[in-house]
Amino acid sequence: MKLAPSEIWFVCGSQHLYGPGPLKQVAANAGEVAAALDKSKHIPVDIVFKALLTTPDEITQLCLDANSDPKCAGLILWMHTFSPSKMWIRGLTSLKKPFCHLHTQFNRDLPWETIDMDFMNLNQAAHGDREAGFIHTRLRLGRKVVVGHWSDVEVQQRLGAWTRVARAWHDWQGAKFARFGDNMRQVAVTEGDKVAAEIRFGFATNGYGMGDLAARVKAVNAEAIDALCFEYESTYTVAKELRQGGARHGALREGAQAELGIRAFLEEGNFKGFTTTFEDLHGLTQLPGLACQRLMADGYGFGAEGDWKTAALLRAMKVIGDGLPGGTSFMEDYTYHLSPKGHQVLGSHMLEICPTIAVAKPSLQIHPLGIGGKADPVRLVFDAPAGPALNASLVDMGSRFRLIVNEVKAVKTPKLPKLPVARAVWECQPDFKTACAAWIYAGGAHHTGYSYSVTTEHLEDFAEIAGIELAVIDGDTRLREFKTELRQNDLYYALAQGLRV
């Protein structure tokens, strides 16, 4: 993953009412909490104790500093004592970075035998954080609230989940996504308002001619192609006909040339993701399947058929899941198994499934595509593992964006000897009929980000930071209630901007 340096600022609130001695102790305690969180194996982003804040001017200046610091991905706020929250209004209304509210206290256990008023005055997070929570709610600020002692593993895990999301949001700010060709003709869900997306999310999406990409592919030298073909044979189980000296080795070289050309284009332009479409391949001999698979494995977002929203979402999900077990891929609900013994979804795509979700060593093969009118493309073929996973879709509802999540249970893939593409098989939660109906009612796309590492909690945090609607389909979903929630969300999001006063 090519991630810019990022850190989370740990900020503690108090006031001068307590005097210099207690404030010194408060600062020391806050520094100790921040240091412990920074060392936690559950929190992947650096935690930096930034300040003990006691005045409106200090608070405002820190928020402005956070806005302008390119390394600051977000803030964790904690009120060790009582910090009158009117002091925070000017700063929080200027803050552009996401924040998490940690409701904790320095001591874990109360010293029942010796507790006195000095101890009580020093350890007032129980109502200091409630004062803070009121002003956050009064200002209608989206945030995550984590409750419990800072040494608690579950608390650290929830903070860790949020820091992953804050880092992904940080990664989106100023990110660029390249569209090679337009979206698939006449398709609605892959369209969308790119201006609205840049305003809401902070990333830019722009189109580039296939001729520009084809020129970059053509410029790749033979030595680089040789080296990459050798890497393929060292990394994957390569079909005999594609190996050095094989009858179709030329097709493998074309696939390698496409990968090197696309990679060079993306690196030179500092892009974090891209789209392709089989309807626009001017200058390319084959649809770049293998190239897309390997670039996704390196952390690039990808969307087929011009689906720029899924490309951006996939990049965010890859940043969130970086370092976690499992993997994340572009995916499509392709076809169904509707046996009375159990309903299942076969997920796949023509070519572009990321090998980070492969259960075993992928096989590098070549087969006809059947559409697009180009040469047979090379691709990695593999099965995805069984286990809990999810599908996520980002759609443009016209007046807002909606993030839809369906939790699924992946199962062992049946033998598919005649299906030459990567694939996954899963069972939807709470059940196939409810999940599919809910997905369709919500307007979910046929393209998704499919992940074994990203959780619903991650995406809930992400939607909160982005200020967008979240629709979750999980084991507790009931269709009547879900439809009512969608209708209520229509009203809420129509009014939400006017409510922020």
Side-chain angles (χ1 to χ4, degrees), residues 1-3 44-45 160 164 167-168 297-299 314-328 451 453-454 458:
M1 295 293 295
K2 296 178 181 177
L3 293 173
V45 185
R164 287 180 171 278
R167 181 173 61 181
D298 286 343
L314 187 65
R315 167 65 183 189
M317 292 174 69
K318 284 198 171 278
V319 175
I320 291 170
D322 186 40
L324 293 176
T328 299
S451 184
S453 55
V454 177
H458 289 133

Side-chain angles (χ1 to χ4, degrees), residues 210 214 248 254 277-288 351 366-379:
M210 288 303 299
R248 306 298 300 276
E254 290 172 353
T277 174
F278 65 91
E279 288 183 322
D280 190 353
L281 292 172
H282 170 76
L284 298 185
T285 56
Q286 56 178 262
L287 180 63
L351 302 172
I366 182 169
H367 301 276
L369 186 61
I371 56 177
K374 287 288 183 177
D376 299 345
V378 292
R379 82 290 301 269

